[in-house]
Amino acid sequence: MAYSLAIHGGAGTMSRAQLTPEKELLYHKALENALKVGEDYLINGGSALDAVEFTVRYLENVDLFNAGKGSVFGNDGKHEMEASIMCGRTLNAGAVAGIKNVKNPIQLARTIMVESEYVYLHGIGAENFAKNYHIPFEDDFYFFTQERFNQLNAIRDSDKVILDHTDVDYKFGTVGAVALDKLGNLASATSTGGLTNKKYGRLGDSSIIGAGTYANNATCAISCTGYGEYFIRSVVAHDISCLMEYKNMSLQEASEVVVKDKLVKMGGEGGIIGVDKNGNISLTFNTEGMYRGYTSEKNPKLVTKIF
Amino acid sequence: MAYSLAIHGGAGTMSRAQLTPEKELLYHKALENALKVGEDYLINGGSALDAVEFTVRYLENVDLFNAGKGSVFGNDGKHEMEASIMCGRTLNAGAVAGIKNVKNPIQLARTIMVESEYVYLHGIGAENFAKNYHIPFEDDFYFFTQERFNQLNAIRDSDKVILDHTDVDYKFGTVGAVALDKLGNLASATSTGGLTNKKYGRLGDSSIIGAGTYANNATCAISCTGYGEYFIRSVVAHDISCLMEYKNMSLQEASEVVVKDKLVKMGGEGGIIGVDKNGNISLTFNTEGMYRGYTSEKNPKLVTKIF
């Protein structure tokens, strides 16, 4: 098989006016570097699982995206993160939600998948699991970014979690990667810091297998970014897979039905990235933009786009 | 439309030898009473949502089942519960995970669905939400049952969470209800206390929309009980709905493909209850037994079964 890789860094209503040329360049550069990380695994015969884990780890370590280091602040001034990963060959999965101070939530999700009899861990219990497996932690200062802190302070005393604002980062910040490796195996990974000013231990779709993340060698690997509540109710990632498996749609057709028809009718803004078992890539969104990139063995150019 | 209602109280390897006639009678009586609660709403034109919520509340209040009052003990000696509910008409949903001392987790899930902009809450944040909405709490003593405590002590110092034991309650204790009301609306609700001796904030499928709970007026309402990790990875409830919607299978055909073929091949033990948009009922499991019951306007007898 020829490998394929696609990534996203969140979708939403973006304003060209707000995104300075300098900042736009930073985003393109970060997406390109992330693609290089994943591509390196895939070129050298690495697994799709390794490619998506380490690509997402890279995106978690950049403070431009709402995941890992760049996670937004919850209402309590803390960073509560979620992540999940799935293997299309075995349908094994690992997911983690409501964790604080874990440097790379996707690494924890992978470790849960591999080392635990469980699939889905949350909160302090998940952090204890992480400590037992020597997953790196960082202090609050590591996750502090002035811009995110300003975003919280602008709405902290209100009940708002989502501003009617042109900055995407208030909205659907998430990172994700999907890959097909040379052995024909698919994998998907998603990670997020959730919503600015979120309360009550809110969880989104990024840690939910079927909603934000799904992979199945019979069909495709999908990672989502969007208004999590709608993505949960629509079981988005699994729905795309089912349309392919049960209605013989192509990845692109299935993605468009779910993202541009079903989600739009509900009011669910966001997008998906997907790779199918033949290496075809879909980057489909119903918002103004989505930070995204892709590359493949057939077209080895590293393509990154925002709008 | 003519109403339909089905319920479950968990599935697993049951031993007739262990279930004394007296205890068997208690289970049948509890299932029958739960059916009466839901039927009462449906007969009087109540909504499927009310029917499933209050039926599950009844099952949560009986200490025979692993949910609410009868929840098993986690490794820390506490009862950490999950629940979810979904409306087939609006595709609205509410879900809650990792909560302690909430008397009726399904009531909290419904309140999240109705009152919150979120779908899925967990942990202390979810408990704070519950307090704001005056959801009743109970102290640890309310959730204490000697039998459950003995189950924990038998395995607490081991790493086991699931005993190779003939008592179902070690395994897949869950309660659930699905209903079609006279207006043709479907709803589904699921609640559990999880696994005895569970660690690390483990979550199962019962709080996951798509996995343990799904409802869609276009197809069916499903509530699952089984080995949660397999049900998450298989997105069981949504898969049954997709087989109906995209492959034109009947509820019973779709349930058998998922429960008796796909899950069996993976090793995922458990079962499902479902009602379709025409009021047909499915109670399908790949285990020795499933505590279950059903009734409908067309066949108003209250039927309860274990094996």
Side-chain angles (χ1 to χ4, degrees), chain B residues 43 100 115 159 212 227 258 287:
Chain B
I43 286 176
K100 292 171 181 166
E115 301 292 344
D159 273 338
Y227 198 139
V258 174
T287 49

Side-chain angles (χ1 to χ4, degrees), chain B residues 39-140:
Chain B
E39 187 190 37
D40 217 46
Y41 281 91
L42 296 168
I43 286 176
N44 294 302
S47 70
L49 267 174
D50 278 343
V52 296
E53 180 194 341
F54 287 92
T55 302
V56 167
R57 276 206 210 187
Y58 180 87
L59 292 165
E60 286 175 337
N61 293 343
V62 176
D63 65 5
L64 291 169
F65 304 104
N66 176 17
K69 183 171 172 51
S71 292
V72 298
F73 286 85
N75 179 263
D76 63 354
K78 298 278 187 179
H79 307 273
E80 211 172 76
M81 301 171 285
E82 319 173 34
S84 61
I85 190 165
M86 187 160 185
C87 170
R89 182 174 66 81
T90 59
L91 302 184
N92 282 335
V96 67
I99 49 163
K100 292 171 181 166
N101 298 100
V102 172
K103 185 182 180 196
N104 291 110
I106 200 65
Q107 178 188 12
L108 177 51
R110 176 84 182 271
T111 307
I112 291 165
M113 183 181 103
V114 174
E115 301 292 344
S116 166
E117 61 197 317
Y118 304 130
V119 166
Y120 194 17
L121 305 182
H122 82 104
I124 291 167
E127 292 166 16
N128 289 336
F129 177 90
K131 285 169 191 163
N132 286 358
Y133 284 88
H134 310 292
I135 304 288
F137 280 67
E138 295 286 351
D139 60 19
D140 288 348

Side-chain angles (χ1 to χ4, degrees), chain A residues 112-187:
Chain A
I112 292 166
M113 183 181 103
V114 174
E115 300 291 345
S116 166
E117 63 196 317
Y118 304 132
V119 166
Y120 193 17
L121 305 183
H122 83 103
I124 291 167
E127 292 167 17
N128 288 337
F129 177 88
K131 285 169 192 164
N132 286 358
Y133 284 88
H134 310 294
I135 304 287
F137 280 67
E138 295 285 351
D139 60 20
D140 288 349
F141 184 73
Y142 172 82
F143 296 93
F144 182 89
T145 49
Q146 190 63 49
E147 193 181 344
R148 302 294 193 200
F149 194 61
N150 296 344
Q151 288 171 353
L152 172 63
N153 283 332
I155 57 169
R156 193 172 193 167
D157 296 332
S158 75
D159 274 337
K160 284 186 190 165
V161 283
I162 300 156
L163 277 184
D164 182 16
H165 196 284
T166 50
D167 183 346
V168 60
D169 292 334
Y170 281 101
K171 290 201 156 186
F172 316 130
T174 317
V175 305
V178 291
L180 173 73
D181 64 30
K182 289 185 175 184
L183 294 176
N185 292 318
L186 291 164

